Amino acid sequence: MSGQSEAVPGARGPEKGLSQEAGEQQVLSGGYAPGAQVLIREDLWLVRKCTLTQRDGWMVEVTGVSPFVRGMDAVFYDRLDVVQRLDPRETELVRDDSPNHLRSRLFLEAVMRKTSLPQTEQGLALADNFLMDPQVHQLRPAELALSMKNAQPRILIADVVGLGKTLEIGVLLAELIRRGRGERILVVTPQHVLEQFQRELWTRFGIPLVRLDSTGIQRVQRDIPAGRNPFAYFKRVIISVDTLKSDVYAHHLEHTEWDAVVIDESHNLVNRGTKNNDLARVLARKTDALVLASATPHNGDASSFAELVRMLDEAAIANPSKYEVDDLRHLYIRRTKTSPEVRESLKETQWADRGPSRPIHVPASAKELAIFKELATRWIPADPDEPSASRHQLVPYRLLKSFLSSHKALLETVKTRIGNIDNPPPEKSGNGKRRMRPEDPAVRKAAQAAERAALVDLQRLAEQIEDGDSAKLQALVEELRAMGVGPGSETRAVVFSESVPTLRWLAETVPAALGFAHTTSPDQKKPWLGFGGAVLVMHREATTDQEQQDIVEKFGLYDDPVRILFTSDVASEGVNLHQQCHHLVHYDLPWSLIRIEQRNGRIDRYGQKHKPEFRALVLTSDIPWRTDGTTGEPRTLDDRLVGEKLLRREEQAHRIEGSAEAVTGLYRAKEEENRLTQDLIAGRTVEESIKQSQQGAAAFLTGILGQVGAVHEHPEVARAEVPKLFASTADYFEEALRQVCRPNPEDMLSLRRDKDGTIAFEPPADLLYRLKALPKSYLIEQQILPSKDEPARMRVTFSKQLAVKRLNAARETTESQWPNVSYITDVHPVLDWLTDKVLVEIGRHKAPVLAAAVTTPTYLVQGIYSNALGKPTVVDWMAVFGLPDNPDVEPLTPELLERYGISPDMPGRATPRDLPGLSALVPAVIDAAERHLAQREAVYRKQIEATLKPHRDRVAEWRQEALFASARPNEAELDRTAERRLKLVKSLQTAGEPMLRLLAVLEPTATTATAAEGGTQQ
């Protein structure tokens, strides 16, 4: 037995060599309901989760209740250990002498909170309890995933940039936790957003995740034995895709099952044969719930998108090259800012309408014009049939694009190209093998010599350009000044460039031009650090993954000295730069609508308080020339050729289509750029290229990812009805704390309540154990961990207003964006810890007797049926009365609880009037409840049959379509897939006997007893 989630082998229990019949009987015995108490090895444990395994029967994850194991987590298998369910007919009735029966009311509330919602409950239970604005569109993904339109809660969240996909994921994960389907969670993200994602899930939802970055891995190595599976020790993990796909974790993943896996930026998974794809396929097999998130979820190829969808449902697409959007609506959702529901939601929240994308025309200097002329006359002639200095069609446009970034970028490109000519790399064919060109070596050598000479001439011209000759550099400085960026100002700006040489050059020259004081940099490779922290640079060549996380963190802190972030497109996906910034400058413009949109989305996103302002520096060269050097009609070969047109089109797409991808039908920036370049080489305009792209093979994908799930039949998201005995979670927390921390929490926990709503206390050891998932730096910084000088101190609150205030304050410090007060949600570890404490207050296999507003003894019973996966299918709360002559059962609704008077105003009675008589009726009560529950299960069986029939039909239809979709289908593989899907569907049906539990007995008060004797009926 272990204090961590590790398997516990046992010496007792059934032998492993069970016959098939015995094994089936073992399965039919049913699982162990979460919240139930079980005896294992003479100790009492609280069931947290139950899962059926193929080899060892039910895997029961538990928390210790008995003094010897209290607070410890363990895993048992009921074929290896005797897991004893307590017979409800033998429940001992006990008195409750607490004031107003507080102990009993807390116990009942705790049982309700710990009981997983059944799979038939598709309403959201926790949607109003998170630190986020009430946005209906952000609840829709959870609604769809839980709707049972798919056999598993699996979904692709494909909302465009900025709508809050992280929040949508958090809502769904919390709802899965509430249903007992989120105990083991794995989140996979790009490295540079690890902390951002982890912080959002903790701050807004109270879900702690262990971060396995370089620091987290070192911590794991200290905490667990070498070679052991880290995922057996840490149940909720966030890790980067690059770290996870390493060989270190491959073996562990094959032997780890998850309740829920989240993969952010999932478009990076679609290419078969890559490690990313292999990783995703393994995870898809090893999890129940799967959440994929991407604003650009495919690369324009129908088969690639099919690959992503098949991870969610193997039998969703029969023909990967042809399918319909209506066949996939149960698996994904995509909205834009123009979606009616999104637009309506945003009216009441913080997301300012974006400002215009303003192009800043910058006439080229004389020395820059010389390069334009050189490019136009020798490299990119006006007539495509005229010879170019390079035989390689893409080279001239690479030179042009790099020069449109800066002369520094052009010099780097020229240098690289000369190097490739002098030392040519081996050419490869499409299959990766070396390929020899069928070309005369002398001809090839002469062409290379001519190209090299032209490159040398271009290099000479570029080397003549100094900082003062760069028109865009001067324009950038002026534009930043106009924005207010400079010493003594709080204004910040992010400047994007595709070129690393350009970024380095700008970071070294712009700050001084703006007046920032310069000192010696502590890092000679990063001279921009010599501006007192006013400048940050982020790109893959200069910054490690951890440094990228730190840069994003610093840029979001209000009183950090940073004022300018120079970044490559490494920051264009998933990064939040909007918290202290609403100015963005495109120093150079990508030849991709998608990339422009992604860049803009860094500051134009949910939570932006100020109008986002976009600027683009457009280098112009209005000089007429011909290839022979004579003057003629002007020819545009500058940023107006492509960049400015795409800037305008992206702005139009934002207003009309809602996303850039809908304009071209292409969903990868690199593919879009390549397509456009090839069209320019062929003599087409940007407009012609876009039009042809819309009409090409990718056009049908525009419909696939237009707006899916944007319009709903019902305006509100359904909410789950769960019985509650306390007006709010805060009320429950306060009363529970006083009950379990006797004589008072002020002394036991050194608890203090501040006027602003902060509750500060010293967390005990068993609570600290539950918080170990959080970054140690955060725990130390917030004094949640004790030090040699100070005791541990945790600060929590139920006030959303205070939590938001502290969250904003965290962004106004130089320390961290982690707030110093934690908002308590219904899945927060502090509340979970307290609820476990409450559950053991009544005692093992006991039920309290309460004096209530009933006219005859009334027994409160919980009944649960589970499916073959151990998940509840029927959860029934019953009031049983009329015993022994006329037993009757009534659903225990909130209205009935109120009628019974189970509230702080209960009179309470220290000693029951007739404890023996009440105890004698318990077996008959359980029998009556069991009969009623069986009737409910029969109704459920019909309901689930109707729900599952479309799933079965879909599998049969898929198999038939797949047979005809391929000339030579692999029928054996199709059969295996169909069998897996049908087995999954079958597993959702009820399996085994119900679990019944007597929770409490309501005994008439003197007043109600007298009324009953007078003839009043219940």
Side-chain angles (χ1 to χ4, degrees):
M1 188 268 300
S2 167
Q4 296 167 324
S5 293
E6 180 72 324
V8 184
R12 299 172 301 195
E15 297 293 329
K16 282 191 176 182
L18 291 173
S19 67
Q20 181 177 358
E21 181 179 354
E24 290 175 353
Q25 185 62 40
Q26 182 84 0
V27 171
L28 292 176
S29 66
Y32 305 86
Q37 295 184 11
V38 293
L39 277 176
I40 308 173
R41 301 184 184 182
E42 303 303 323
D43 283 307
L44 190 64
W45 302 83
L46 187 72
V47 177
R48 299 182 65 86
K49 181 189 175 187
C50 183
T51 307
L52 184 63
T53 67
Q54 292 182 344
R55 187 180 65 180
D56 296 320
W58 291 101
M59 180 179 74
V60 188
E61 299 182 36
V62 293
T63 295
V65 174
S66 300
F68 181 67
V69 296
R70 183 166 296 166
M72 303 180 76
D73 292 345
V75 176
F76 295 98
Y77 295 86
D78 71 350
R79 288 188 185 174
L80 305 179
D81 270 288
V82 175
V83 181
Q84 182 182 347
R85 283 182 290 188
L86 306 178
D87 187 348
R89 292 170 179 81
E90 299 175 0
T91 303
E92 178 186 354
L93 303 188
V94 296
R95 68 189 186 120
D96 176 10
D97 57 0
S98 62
N100 309 108
H101 293 317
L102 175 61
R103 186 185 301 119
S104 297
R105 288 188 288 113
L106 287 169
F107 171 72
L108 290 173
E109 177 79 8
V111 171
M112 292 170 182
R113 287 177 173 271
K114 277 292 183 180
T115 301
S116 300
L117 299 182
Q119 63 188 25
T120 49
E121 178 53 80
Q122 296 166 19
L124 304 189
L126 309 174
D128 301 319
N129 187 235
F130 305 126
L131 196 61
M132 54 185 283
D133 296 319
Q135 300 297 309
V136 173
H137 79 271
Q138 291 175 343
L139 306 181
R140 296 293 186 191
E143 177 189 48
L144 177 60
L146 299 172
S147 67
M148 291 195 71
K149 292 180 179 178
N150 187 24
Q152 293 171 291
R154 295 187 162 207
I155 187 172
L156 166 62
I157 303 177
D159 287 343
V160 299
V161 172
L163 291 193
K165 286 188 286 293
T166 305
L167 298 180
E168 293 168 355
I169 291 168
V171 172
L172 176 52
L173 289 179
E175 289 291 339
L176 289 172
I177 292 171
R178 185 62 182 85
R179 286 158 171 77
R181 305 179 77 165
E183 192 68 17
R184 296 185 52 78
I185 297 173
L186 175 68
V187 177
V188 185
T189 75
Q191 178 75 30
H192 56 278
V193 297
L194 273 178
E195 179 165 336
Q196 175 181 299
F197 208 110
Q198 180 193 30
R199 186 175 61 245
E200 286 287 286
L201 287 186
W202 170 249
T203 301
R204 298 188 182 280
F205 302 97
I207 302 175
L209 302 174
V210 173
R211 189 171 83 226
L212 292 186
D213 53 11
S214 55
T215 304
I217 291 171
Q218 292 175 4
R219 176 182 169 191
V220 168
Q221 292 171 341
R222 291 194 304 267
D223 290 352
I224 67 176
R228 299 301 294 273
N229 184 352
F231 303 126
Y233 285 81
F234 302 106
K235 297 184 294 184
R236 294 175 182 169
V237 173
I238 184 168
I239 189 169
S240 78
V241 64
D242 290 329
T243 301
L244 190 59
K245 70 185 180 185
S246 68
D247 295 337
V248 175
Y249 291 101
H251 172 73
H252 296 314
L253 287 177
E254 288 286 353
H255 297 85
T256 306
E257 301 286 339
W258 300 95
D259 291 325
V261 168
V262 176
I263 305 179
D264 194 23
E265 304 297 344
S266 56
H267 53 267
N268 297 314
L269 311 174
V270 297
N271 295 327
R272 281 280 187 126
T274 63
K275 277 196 170 184
N276 283 7
N277 183 259
D278 293 342
L279 169 65
R281 290 162 65 85
V282 168
L283 293 176
R285 294 196 310 269
K286 294 291 183 178
T287 184
D288 175 28
L290 178 62
V291 184
L292 306 178
S294 173
T296 55
H298 63 71
N299 58 8
D301 177 70
S303 298
S304 295
F305 186 60
E307 176 70 13
L308 207 59
V309 169
R310 282 171 165 173
M311 293 178 193
L312 302 170
D313 180 353
E314 292 180 286
I317 294 177
N319 184 347
S321 61
K322 185 179 180 181
Y323 43 88
E324 299 294 333
V325 63
D326 286 341
D327 297 333
L328 308 178
R329 289 183 179 272
H330 63 293
L331 292 172
Y332 77 102
I333 191 167
R334 178 176 176 83
R335 287 80 51 84
T336 74
K337 202 174 178 181
T338 63
S339 303
E341 186 170 80
V342 175
R343 198 167 58 244
E344 186 66 26
S345 294
L346 296 179
K347 285 181 179 179
E348 307 297 329
T349 60
Q350 294 180 338
W351 190 353
D353 289 336
R354 63 182 266 178
S357 292
R358 186 161 66 88
I360 310 296
H361 282 208
V362 183
S365 67
K367 291 182 180 179
E368 289 173 327
L369 286 174
I371 291 182
F372 273 124
K373 184 174 181 179
E374 181 76 3
L375 289 170
T377 55
R378 297 179 67 179
W379 294 90
I380 310 175
D383 186 347
D385 293 330
E386 291 186 29
S388 169
S390 177
R391 299 172 305 153
H392 299 273
Q393 292 180 318
L394 293 177
V395 168
Y397 282 93
R398 287 181 190 146
L399 294 170
L400 174 62
K401 277 206 70 186
S402 62
F403 178 58
L404 292 175
S405 179
S406 72
H407 63 288
K408 297 287 187 181
L410 176 60
L411 284 169
E412 188 71 22
T413 303
V414 169
K415 179 181 176 181
T416 300
R417 182 61 188 160
I418 290 175
N420 288 338
I421 291 174
D422 293 343
N423 299 287
E427 296 188 14
K428 296 181 180 180
S429 62
N431 59 8
K433 297 181 180 179
R434 293 196 178 195
R435 179 182 64 175
M436 297 300 294
R437 291 171 179 259
E439 182 181 26
D440 187 308
V443 174
R444 184 171 68 251
K445 187 173 182 180
Q448 289 176 339
E451 181 180 347
R452 194 183 191 287
L455 286 166
V456 170
D457 289 343
L458 194 60
Q459 181 177 13
R460 176 179 51 80
L461 290 172
E463 288 173 343
Q464 293 176 10
I465 297 179
E466 298 179 353
D467 292 351
D469 299 312
S470 173
K472 280 174 49 176
L473 175 62
Q474 310 311 317
L476 175 63
V477 172
E478 292 174 7
E479 197 62 32
L480 290 174
R481 279 203 191 105
M483 292 176 184
V485 178
S489 170
E490 296 180 353
T491 304
R492 299 187 189 189
V494 55
V495 179
F496 272 97
S497 171
E498 291 186 299
S499 167
V500 171
T502 299
L503 289 172
R504 293 183 61 90
W505 170 61
L506 292 177
E508 295 167 16
T509 56
V510 171
L514 288 171
F516 287 102
H518 185 266
T519 60
T520 302
S521 171
D523 186 341
Q524 296 305 312
K525 294 182 179 180
K526 300 176 180 179
W528 55 83
L529 296 180
F531 290 100
V535 178
L536 293 175
V537 176
M538 187 163 74
H539 59 81
R540 287 190 175 90
E541 295 180 20
T543 45
T544 65
D545 292 335
Q546 184 59 51
E547 286 174 326
Q548 290 173 18
Q549 292 184 57
D550 294 342
I551 287 172
V552 173
E553 175 93 0
K554 287 170 67 66
F555 197 70
L557 296 173
Y558 174 80
D559 62 358
D560 192 277
V562 62
R563 291 298 175 262
I564 312 173
L565 171 62
F566 293 101
T567 180
S568 70
D569 288 315
V570 69
S572 66
E573 290 188 4
V575 174
N576 291 337
L577 301 177
H578 67 292
Q579 290 155 348
Q580 308 297 337
C581 175
H582 64 281
H583 293 289
L584 184 148
V585 179
H586 300 278
Y587 189 79
D588 51 41
L589 280 162
W591 286 11
S592 162
L593 284 171
I594 296 169
R595 189 67 76 201
I596 294 173
E597 178 183 65
Q598 288 175 332
R599 286 181 177 185
N600 289 348
R602 296 313 99 214
I603 65 167
D604 180 23
R605 57 196 304 105
Y606 183 75
Q608 175 60 267
K609 299 178 183 178
H610 305 283
K611 178 180 288 188
E613 299 285 345
F614 308 104
R615 302 289 183 268
L617 301 181
V618 175
L619 192 61
T620 63
S621 55
D622 286 334
I623 292 184
W625 59 64
R626 297 181 186 276
T627 53
D628 60 4
T630 61
T631 60
E633 289 297 321
R635 179 178 172 216
T636 301
L637 198 66
D638 52 35
D639 274 320
R640 294 170 298 178
L641 175 68
V642 176
E644 185 176 7
K645 292 177 181 178
L646 295 183
L647 185 74
R648 298 288 192 197
R649 192 64 184 89
E650 187 276 340
E651 186 174 30
Q652 183 183 21
H654 173 81
R655 292 196 313 267
I656 301 173
E657 289 94 347
S659 70
E661 301 94 322
V663 176
T664 62
L666 299 176
Y667 293 81
R668 285 292 178 275
K670 189 62 179 175
E671 182 183 355
E672 184 188 357
E673 180 181 336
N674 291 342
R675 171 69 177 267
L676 180 54
T677 305
Q678 292 289 354
D679 285 340
L680 291 175
I681 292 170
R684 300 187 187 96
T685 65
V686 172
E687 293 82 359
E688 290 169 342
S689 178
I690 291 175
K691 184 176 180 180
Q692 183 169 338
S693 176
Q694 289 174 324
Q695 296 170 349
F700 103 96
L701 288 172
T702 305
I704 285 286
L705 283 185
Q707 301 233 10
V708 178
V711 179
H712 295 269
E713 297 177 0
H714 45 91
E716 298 297 328
V717 175
R719 304 303 173 93
E721 286 194 13
V722 182
K724 290 184 178 181
L725 298 178
F726 290 82
S728 68
T729 299
D731 289 345
Y732 166 70
F733 175 87
E734 289 289 348
E735 296 291 359
L737 205 58
R738 295 205 170 277
Q739 179 63 33
V740 303
C741 297
R742 295 185 293 271
N744 63 70
E746 285 77 10
D747 292 336
M748 283 197 67
L749 302 179
S750 300
L751 186 140
R752 186 189 72 247
R753 293 177 177 83
D754 294 339
K755 292 181 179 179
D756 64 0
T758 300
I759 303 171
F761 62 95
E762 184 177 339
D766 54 347
L767 175 55
L768 285 176
Y769 175 78
R770 300 185 187 220
L771 299 173
K772 68 176 183 177
L774 296 167
K776 193 170 184 179
S777 58
Y778 165 73
L779 295 173
I780 293 174
E781 168 195 308
Q782 303 297 340
Q783 296 182 323
I784 297 173
L785 290 179
S787 66
K788 63 179 181 180
D789 300 321
E790 297 289 340
R793 202 76 180 149
M794 186 164 192
R795 295 168 180 82
V796 300
T797 187
F798 288 91
S799 167
K800 283 190 178 182
Q801 183 179 5
L802 173 64
V804 170
K805 181 179 178 181
R806 294 300 176 89
L807 180 59
N808 292 334
R811 295 169 181 157
E812 298 178 1
T813 70
T814 56
E815 298 298 326
S816 166
Q817 287 194 42
W818 294 76
N820 61 3
V821 170
S822 180
Y823 180 69
I824 298 290
T825 70
D826 280 318
V827 296
H828 196 287
V830 168
L831 199 67
D832 196 48
W833 161 79
L834 189 59
T835 298
D836 284 347
K837 294 279 190 186
V838 168
L839 281 172
V840 301
E841 281 284 303
I842 295 300
R844 178 199 299 184
H845 206 29
K846 296 177 180 179
V849 179
L850 295 73
V854 294
T855 57
T856 183
T858 302
Y859 296 73
L860 307 186
V861 181
Q862 178 195 50
I864 298 176
Y865 272 98
S866 298
N867 59 28
L869 301 175
K871 305 296 188 298
T873 56
V874 176
V875 175
D876 208 15
W877 307 90
M878 297 167 274
V880 183
F881 52 89
L883 292 156
D885 301 326
N886 187 26
D888 198 0
V889 179
E890 188 172 359
L892 192 61
T893 62
E895 293 75 19
L896 189 60
L897 287 169
E898 184 178 356
R899 195 197 328 161
Y900 290 162
I902 302 179
S903 70
D905 298 325
M906 296 185 78
R909 180 188 293 134
T911 303
R913 298 169 60 193
D914 183 14
L915 194 60
L918 295 174
S919 299
L921 295 176
V922 169
V925 167
I926 298 302
D927 290 341
E930 191 169 34
R931 290 191 297 270
H932 173 80
L933 190 62
Q935 295 172 355
R936 287 271 287 112
E937 196 279 329
V939 173
Y940 163 80
R941 189 176 293 275
K942 292 181 180 179
Q943 178 184 349
I944 198 66
E945 278 297 320
T947 301
L948 298 181
K949 186 179 184 302
H951 298 321
R952 293 195 187 92
D953 294 344
R954 190 181 301 141
V955 172
E957 292 168 2
W958 165 83
R959 188 183 180 284
Q960 287 300 111
E961 290 177 12
L963 281 173
F964 291 103
S966 174
R968 299 181 64 182
N970 186 332
E971 293 192 47
E973 180 60 31
L974 293 180
D975 289 340
R976 284 193 292 270
T977 301
E979 182 180 356
R980 284 195 298 269
R981 297 301 297 179
L982 291 174
K983 184 178 180 181
L984 172 65
V985 171
K986 184 178 181 181
S987 70
L988 301 180
Q989 298 173 314
T990 298
E993 300 300 318
M995 187 213 79
L996 289 115
R997 183 178 182 185
L998 179 59
L999 301 178
V1001 180
L1002 307 181
E1003 188 182 40
T1005 63
T1007 302
T1008 53
T1010 302
E1013 292 169 1
T1016 303
Q1017 299 297 315
Q1018 179 164 356

